[in-house]
Amino acid sequence: NDSPFRSRESSGEASKKRSPVVLEGTYRLSEGTSNFCKGSAMSMEEAKALIKAGEDALDTVARNEKEPVRIAALGEIGIGNTTTAAALYCALLSRQGVTPGQICGRGTGLDMEGIQRKIEIVQHALDLHAEVVEAGDPMRIMAALGGAEITALVGAI
């Protein structure tokens, strides 16, 4: 089909140790997101599909008749996500004067040189996507700067 997602079946030891509390996602963006310092992280179509995937995932667990879900705790784990989150935060709050220097932190343990590099990366992305940031449209900002995992979480929320 023409979906940007591909199914991923669970296998190996992870599937043998199923938890009634933690559920694993079954779809992912086929090619991942692009470098937001070179262009948009994803197309609007991909961003919309990821939001729909997040909505669908939460709907699926909410409708589970065998093990009803009463609480959904959302999150993600990965390297580089705090850079994406900082860029999104700065873009969405740019009218309030929020800057990368105020937002960027250690993430997974960066030293001061690493933090400075992160600030420069976020600033470069904001400059590259200045027209989108200035327009203030959250969907366009998500497509330009978002990560797939953050976008799917938006859909789930």
Side-chain angles (χ1 to χ4, degrees):
N1 65 32
D2 59 352
S3 171
F5 300 99
R6 62 182 162 89
S7 181
R8 181 175 50 82
E9 294 296 323
S10 295
S11 62
E13 289 300 310
S15 65
K16 292 177 187 172
K17 296 179 181 178
R18 287 229 180 267
S19 166
V21 178
V22 178
L23 302 176
E24 182 180 330
T26 56
Y27 290 91
R28 55 175 260 172
L29 190 62
S30 296
E31 301 299 320
T33 54
S34 297
N35 183 337
F36 67 21
C37 284
K38 296 182 178 180
S40 287
M42 63 191 112
S43 69
M44 284 295 286
E45 294 76 26
E46 289 170 324
K48 288 176 182 177
L50 282 161
I51 287 175
K52 177 87 169 90
E55 290 173 4
D56 291 349
L58 199 57
D59 287 345
T60 298
V61 297
R63 288 190 310 261
N64 183 343
E65 292 179 16
K66 278 186 157 183
E67 297 177 39
V69 173
R70 290 177 175 64
I71 297 172
L74 305 174
E76 51 73 37
I77 298 174
I79 302 299
N81 295 334
T82 61
T83 303
T84 300
L88 286 166
Y89 195 92
C90 289
L92 292 167
L93 295 175
S94 64
R95 291 185 176 135
Q96 285 76 26
V98 173
T99 67
Q102 295 170 306
I103 300 305
C104 293
R106 293 195 180 282
T108 57
L110 293 175
D111 59 15
M112 290 308 292
E113 186 178 307
I115 294 171
Q116 185 57 44
R117 197 167 45 251
K118 182 193 265 188
I119 291 168
E120 291 167 7
I121 289 167
V122 171
Q123 188 61 60
H124 177 77
L126 294 171
D127 292 344
L128 179 67
H129 301 287
E131 183 180 314
V132 170
V133 172
E134 289 169 17
D137 178 349
M139 274 303 297
R140 288 181 62 204
I141 290 171
M142 186 63 72
L145 300 171
E149 70 291 348
I150 294 171
T151 308
L153 285 169
V154 167
I157 293 165

